[in-house]
Amino acid sequence: MGVENIFKDEASEEKGERARMASFVGAMAIADLVKTTLGPKGMDKILQSTGRGREVTVTNDGATILKSLHIDNPAAKVLVDISKVQDDEVGDGTTSVVVLAGELLREAEKLVAAKIHPMTIISGFRMAAECARNALLKKVMDNKEDSEKFKSDLMKIAKTTLSSKILSQDKEHFAQLAVDAVMRLKGSTNLESIQIIKKPGGSLRDSFLDEGFILDKKIGIGQPKRIENAKILVANTAMDTDKVKIYGARVRVDSMSKAAEIEGAEKQKMREKVQKIIGHGINCFVNRQLIYNFPEELFADAGILAIEHADFDGIERLGLVTGGEIASTFDNPESLKLGHCKLIEEIMIGEDKLIHFSGVELGQACTIVLRGASHHVLDEAERSLHDALCVLSQTVNDSRVLLGGGWPEMVMAKEVDELARKTPGKRSHAIDAFSRALIAIPTTIADNAGLDSAELVAQLRAEHQKEGCTAGIDVITGSVGNMAELGISEAFKVKQAVLLSATEASEMILRVDEIITCAPRRREDRM
């Protein structure tokens, strides 16, 4: 039989060159897929799901695109993962990280073909990444002390993040919204207290930020429409009359009056429950489950606003924002935490009535109401805004800022080039390759804008030989522009995450020299 058949029949293995080829090809295919969405002039993708609803998503958020792909290639999966991690960690730069990793592998492939061992390439990449990071650290700006300057930094970052997204038309407006929302957080990165409500109708420009909390619900019938100094009980409990809830239970009665007695007893139970709830001295009761007409009447009589079916996300946030806890039993009033807010009223947005809680306990809470032409536009707007909010909240914590527009990549490439010249031996080829991969980012930004990337990047390179250069690609005029004057900035944290994740991912794929695909389990094996 020979050595061939260590594995079961169905299993396949690919060794050495072939395995590496498969990894490189898969990773580069993924990188090319999202490459076109990079930069202010990036294109969008339509994702159509194969599910029942044939949902259609239009997006250019790298992580969203990659999340929706079903991929077989192991190396491609690694890239999908880094874009997810980038999304969770810093929220933006999801496309850049994949493009950079893809370019690193493209360069590595050439080196492997030139018979340079993967380990040599990896150690070169390591040195290069370290050098690139230090190059950025030398150039960061930090305006934490000067709040005016810092605010304008935040505005610039928000505008830069949004300019590659659907919101680029109204980026002034949305950058302001995002900065206001994040400034309210006072340095916490918990985006839970910023709620985003999407209401179709109107245009994106009609979106606004509202302090406080908006619950997407109507107020019940015959209830107070406005409550001041609200004490709110947030609950998750059944408020339908306690039916005999044992399945298949049969109750035999010999007359109608007996049935009425059972009904009366049920009503009595309900009344007691409502009395207990009212006993907490509240004037607003929000329940996650539905509230029947009878208890609703009782609440209305007591002048308590009852809101039913507040969905879970809404009720969790409402609890968080008003400082109350979600209750499910009402026997011991002292252990319940009520929520508070100054005013509850009904407001109209578009066609819909919503309930607005203002003056809430958690001062940082606010709600962003997005308006837009259709659900697709709104979903994409929410994704874009989410990216901006993430980046801003990270920047408030780590206030180091860089210029954008391909400038950081050029700075890094220049330093890495110098390192390559100083390094003896084969590693210098790998370091050189790293700098070429970095330059691919400004190249892609230019390509996506339909500009002559080779020409522009050559110009940039020349500019960057000068000290304190601020040149980057200005896609609007299609030339090399001064990023400091144009106000194109990025957060250092995002760039650093892109650099390190991409290097690690490409390193991991480079280490692969064998791909083993396991045999599928046979059905008969179980017998």
Side-chain angles (χ1 to χ4, degrees), residues 38-163:
L38 186 70
K41 292 270 198 275
M43 295 298 172
D44 291 3
K45 309 275 181 205
I46 289 187
L47 310 172
Q48 192 169 16
S49 83
T50 46
R52 271 198 312 222
R54 293 259 159 187
E55 298 278 301
V56 173
T57 319
V58 183
T59 179
N60 76 354
D61 178 36
T64 310
I65 296 169
L66 294 179
K67 252 184 240 158
S68 332
L69 298 178
H70 292 289
I71 299 171
D72 217 14
N73 183 303
K77 284 204 173 117
V78 174
L79 290 194
V80 174
D81 280 351
I82 57 171
S83 86
K84 275 191 193 142
V85 169
Q86 181 79 11
D87 200 31
D88 299 341
E89 274 300 293
V90 282
D92 197 19
T94 46
T95 312
S96 316
V97 71
V98 177
V99 172
L100 183 55
E103 286 302 324
L104 285 171
L105 289 168
R106 190 171 308 228
E107 293 294 335
E109 184 185 24
K110 294 176 198 158
L111 296 176
V112 172
K115 295 281 175 278
I116 294 179
H117 192 272
M119 283 305 153
T120 315
I121 301 176
I122 285 173
S123 88
F125 277 5
R126 284 247 165 118
M127 288 167 66
E130 189 53 36
C131 163
R133 184 167 169 260
N134 293 336
L136 283 187
L137 280 171
K138 276 188 240 149
K139 301 268 187 177
V140 291
M141 300 168 288
D142 193 341
N143 291 329
K144 199 177 219 145
E145 310 309 313
D146 180 351
S147 65
E148 279 309 298
K149 263 195 181 146
F150 184 46
K151 243 194 168 138
S152 82
D153 273 355
L154 286 180
M155 274 301 284
K156 284 180 195 162
I157 287 179
K159 278 195 275 200
T160 307
T161 302
L162 292 172
S163 59

Side-chain angles (χ1 to χ4, degrees), residues 284-312:
C284 173
F285 176 70
V286 182
N287 192 17
R288 185 184 164 209
Q289 302 174 27
L290 79 178
I291 302 178
Y292 262 38
N293 301 4
F294 177 60
E296 194 167 48
E297 264 172 51
L298 295 178
F299 283 126
D301 291 345
I304 292 179
L305 170 60
I307 303 166
E308 60 173 4
H309 266 304
D311 53 5
F312 202 67

Side-chain angles (χ1 to χ4, degrees), residues 137-348:
L137 280 171
K138 276 188 240 149
K139 301 268 187 177
V140 291
M141 300 168 288
D142 193 341
N143 291 329
K144 199 177 219 145
E145 310 309 313
D146 180 351
S147 65
E148 279 309 298
K149 263 195 181 146
F150 184 46
K151 243 194 168 138
S152 82
D153 273 355
L154 286 180
M155 274 301 284
K156 284 180 195 162
I157 287 179
K159 278 195 275 200
T160 307
T161 302
L162 292 172
S163 59
S164 63
K165 314 263 195 287
I166 191 173
L167 301 176
S168 58
Q169 304 307 316
D170 307 309
K171 61 182 178 207
E172 283 285 333
H173 181 69
F174 282 101
Q176 195 61 56
L177 279 188
V179 172
D180 286 350
V182 171
M183 287 311 256
R184 296 180 68 101
L185 289 178
K186 300 191 180 54
S188 95
T189 46
N190 179 12
L191 295 176
E192 281 294 298
S193 44
I194 299 178
Q195 190 198 11
I196 298 181
I197 286 187
K198 298 178 287 196
K199 284 279 167 219
S203 72
L204 281 170
R205 207 158 283 188
D206 299 335
S207 309
F208 61 92
L209 179 111
D210 203 320
E211 66 93 30
F213 183 87
I214 297 179
L215 192 64
D216 196 350
K217 283 284 149 236
K218 294 186 176 57
I219 291 185
I221 297 157
Q223 304 202 356
K225 293 277 185 233
R226 175 192 168 97
I227 290 184
E228 290 182 23
N229 291 333
K231 297 188 190 57
I232 307 162
L233 177 59
V234 187
N236 180 4
T237 181
M239 294 301 285
D240 34 10
T241 35
D242 292 299
K243 302 190 195 65
V244 181
K245 280 210 177 86
I246 310 155
Y247 286 107
R250 288 170 63 187
V251 182
R252 286 215 169 149
V253 288
D254 39 24
S255 69
M256 267 321 279
S257 57
K258 286 273 172 38
E261 271 172 43
I262 294 177
E263 225 170 57
E266 281 183 352
K267 271 198 160 171
Q268 192 48 42
K269 268 181 82 174
M270 195 71 235
R271 190 174 273 124
E272 278 165 23
K273 187 168 187 178
V274 173
Q275 273 341 118
K276 267 188 203 161
I277 294 172
I278 295 174
H280 293 301
I282 57 167
N283 47 15
C284 173
F285 176 70
V286 182
N287 192 17
R288 185 184 164 209
Q289 302 174 27
L290 79 178
I291 302 178
Y292 262 38
N293 301 4
F294 177 60
E296 194 167 48
E297 264 172 51
L298 295 178
F299 283 126
D301 291 345
I304 292 179
L305 170 60
I307 303 166
E308 60 173 4
H309 266 304
D311 53 5
F312 202 67
D313 208 20
I315 196 168
E316 285 268 285
R317 282 222 173 103
L318 182 63
L320 174 87
V321 169
T322 55
E325 280 173 8
I326 298 179
S328 48
T329 55
F330 310 101
D331 290 333
N332 34 359
E334 58 283 347
S335 69
L336 277 186
K337 265 181 77 179
L338 295 182
H340 295 281
C341 77
K342 294 212 179 73
L343 177 67
I344 302 181
E345 56 189 343
E346 193 171 54
I347 55 171
M348 290 283 294

Side-chain angles (χ1 to χ4, degrees), residues 521-527:
R521 277 215 200 97
R522 286 290 177 78
R523 288 280 166 82
E524 301 86 86
D525 289 357
R526 294 208 207 107
M527 301 308 280

Side-chain angles (χ1 to χ4, degrees), residues 19 24 57 69 74 114 128 150 182 193 279 314 375 396 411 426 453 489:
F24 287 148
T57 319
L69 298 178
F150 184 46
V182 171
S193 44
H375 283 292
V396 172
V411 170
K426 283 185 178 172
S453 56
S489 305

